[in-house]
Amino acid sequence: MTAASSGAQILTLTGLRFDASLGVLDHEKIAPQPIQVDAELSLGRQPLAPRDDDLAHVLDYRRVRQIIIDECTAEHLNLLESLIGKLAQRLMQLPGVQGVRVKIAKLEIFDDCEVAIRVETGAW
Protein backbone atom coordinates (compact mmCIF):
# COMPACT_ATOMS: atom_id res chain seq x y z
CA MET A 1 0.00 0.00 0.00
CA THR A 2 1.35 3.41 -0.88
CA ALA A 3 0.73 6.52 1.17
CA ALA A 4 -1.55 7.85 -1.57
CA SER A 5 -3.73 4.72 -1.59
CA SER A 6 -4.07 4.12 2.16
CA GLY A 7 -4.69 5.91 5.42
CA ALA A 8 -5.10 5.38 9.14
CA GLN A 9 -8.65 4.23 9.77
CA ILE A 10 -10.50 4.82 13.05
CA LEU A 11 -14.01 3.54 13.73
CA THR A 12 -15.85 5.93 16.06
CA LEU A 13 -19.08 5.52 18.02
CA THR A 14 -20.08 8.69 19.85
CA GLY A 15 -22.86 9.36 22.32
CA LEU A 16 -24.11 5.81 22.81
CA ARG A 17 -26.57 6.07 25.73
CA PHE A 18 -28.17 3.27 27.73
CA ASP A 19 -28.70 2.21 31.36
CA ALA A 20 -26.14 0.18 33.30
CA SER A 21 -25.85 -1.12 36.86
CA LEU A 22 -22.83 0.77 38.13
CA GLY A 23 -21.76 2.42 41.37
CA VAL A 24 -21.18 2.10 45.09
CA LEU A 25 -24.15 4.08 46.42
CA ASP A 26 -27.20 2.15 47.63
CA HIS A 27 -29.52 3.55 44.94
CA GLU A 28 -26.93 2.71 42.25
CA LYS A 29 -26.93 -0.92 43.33
CA ILE A 30 -30.73 -1.13 43.11
CA ALA A 31 -31.51 0.54 39.79
CA PRO A 32 -29.54 0.97 36.58
CA GLN A 33 -28.51 4.51 35.70
CA PRO A 34 -27.90 6.25 32.38
CA ILE A 35 -24.37 6.21 31.00
CA GLN A 36 -22.85 7.42 27.77
CA VAL A 37 -20.06 5.63 25.94
CA ASP A 38 -17.76 7.07 23.29
CA ALA A 39 -15.38 4.64 21.60
CA GLU A 40 -12.64 4.90 18.99
CA LEU A 41 -11.10 1.77 17.49
CA SER A 42 -7.85 2.15 15.59
CA LEU A 43 -7.74 -0.19 12.61
CA GLY A 44 -4.29 0.92 11.45
CA ARG A 45 -3.46 1.63 7.83
CA GLN A 46 -6.23 0.57 5.48
CA PRO A 47 -6.79 1.02 1.75
CA LEU A 48 -8.71 4.22 1.03
CA ALA A 49 -11.20 2.05 -0.87
CA PRO A 50 -11.95 -1.46 0.44
CA ARG A 51 -11.19 -4.36 -1.87
CA ASP A 52 -14.92 -4.73 -2.46
CA ASP A 53 -18.19 -3.45 -1.06
CA ASP A 54 -18.72 -6.47 1.21
CA LEU A 55 -19.51 -6.00 4.91
CA ALA A 56 -17.69 -9.25 5.69
CA HIS A 57 -14.36 -7.51 4.92
CA VAL A 58 -14.70 -4.64 7.42
CA LEU A 59 -15.37 -4.24 11.15
CA ASP A 60 -19.16 -4.07 11.46
CA TYR A 61 -20.04 -1.10 13.67
CA ARG A 62 -23.36 -2.73 14.60
CA ARG A 63 -21.37 -5.54 16.20
CA VAL A 64 -19.14 -3.05 18.04
CA ARG A 65 -22.20 -1.18 19.35
CA GLN A 66 -23.77 -4.40 20.64
CA ILE A 67 -20.53 -5.51 22.32
CA ILE A 68 -20.33 -2.17 24.16
CA ILE A 69 -23.91 -2.50 25.41
CA ASP A 70 -23.49 -6.16 26.35
CA GLU A 71 -20.22 -5.62 28.25
CA CYS A 72 -21.58 -2.62 30.16
CA THR A 73 -24.85 -4.31 31.16
CA ALA A 74 -23.62 -7.86 31.87
CA GLU A 75 -23.20 -7.37 35.62
CA HIS A 76 -23.16 -4.77 38.37
CA LEU A 77 -19.75 -3.20 38.93
CA ASN A 78 -18.90 -0.78 41.70
CA LEU A 79 -16.23 1.20 39.90
CA LEU A 80 -16.22 3.07 36.62
CA GLU A 81 -12.55 2.07 36.37
CA SER A 82 -13.49 -1.62 36.47
CA LEU A 83 -16.09 -1.21 33.75
CA ILE A 84 -13.91 0.76 31.38
CA GLY A 85 -11.02 -1.69 31.78
CA LYS A 86 -13.29 -4.64 31.03
CA LEU A 87 -14.74 -2.89 27.98
CA ALA A 88 -11.36 -1.80 26.60
CA GLN A 89 -10.00 -5.35 26.90
CA ARG A 90 -13.02 -6.76 25.05
CA LEU A 91 -12.79 -4.24 22.22
CA MET A 92 -9.06 -4.94 21.79
CA GLN A 93 -9.98 -8.58 21.04
CA LEU A 94 -11.90 -7.66 17.88
CA PRO A 95 -10.21 -8.65 14.61
CA GLY A 96 -8.04 -5.91 13.15
CA VAL A 97 -8.28 -3.59 16.15
CA GLN A 98 -4.88 -2.16 17.03
CA GLY A 99 -5.90 0.44 19.61
CA VAL A 100 -8.90 1.50 21.66
CA ARG A 101 -9.95 4.79 23.22
CA VAL A 102 -13.05 4.62 25.40
CA LYS A 103 -14.84 7.20 27.52
CA ILE A 104 -17.69 6.28 29.87
CA ALA A 105 -19.73 9.03 31.52
CA LYS A 106 -22.23 8.70 34.36
CA LEU A 107 -24.91 11.18 33.33
CA GLU A 108 -26.92 11.77 36.51
CA ILE A 109 -24.39 11.87 39.34
CA PHE A 110 -24.28 15.66 39.71
CA ASP A 111 -26.59 18.38 38.42
CA ASP A 112 -23.72 20.66 37.43
CA CYS A 113 -21.21 18.37 35.71
CA GLU A 114 -20.59 15.08 33.97
CA VAL A 115 -18.43 12.45 35.65
CA ALA A 116 -16.42 10.37 33.19
CA ILE A 117 -13.30 8.32 32.79
CA ARG A 118 -11.32 7.74 29.62
CA VAL A 119 -8.79 5.04 28.77
CA GLU A 120 -6.48 4.55 25.81
CA THR A 121 -4.69 1.31 25.02
CA GLY A 122 -2.91 -0.29 22.11
CA ALA A 123 -1.27 1.32 19.10
CA TRP A 124 -2.27 4.69 17.69
Side-chain angles (χ1 to χ4, degrees), residues 71-108:
E71 287 295 322
C72 291
T73 59
E75 63 182 329
H76 176 87
L77 291 171
N78 289 328
L79 301 177
L80 200 48
E81 293 83 353
S82 298
L83 179 57
I84 203 164
K86 176 183 158 192
L87 179 57
Q89 287 176 336
R90 177 63 181 95
L91 293 174
M92 282 295 294
Q93 295 173 0
L94 290 171
V97 172
Q98 297 179 5
V100 170
R101 290 182 181 134
V102 179
K103 174 184 167 189
I104 301 177
K106 294 173 82 172
L107 299 175
E108 294 182 356

Side-chain angles (χ1 to χ4, degrees), residues 29 34 51 56 66 79 116:
K29 292 180 179 184
R51 65 181 175 197
Q66 194 59 56
L79 301 177

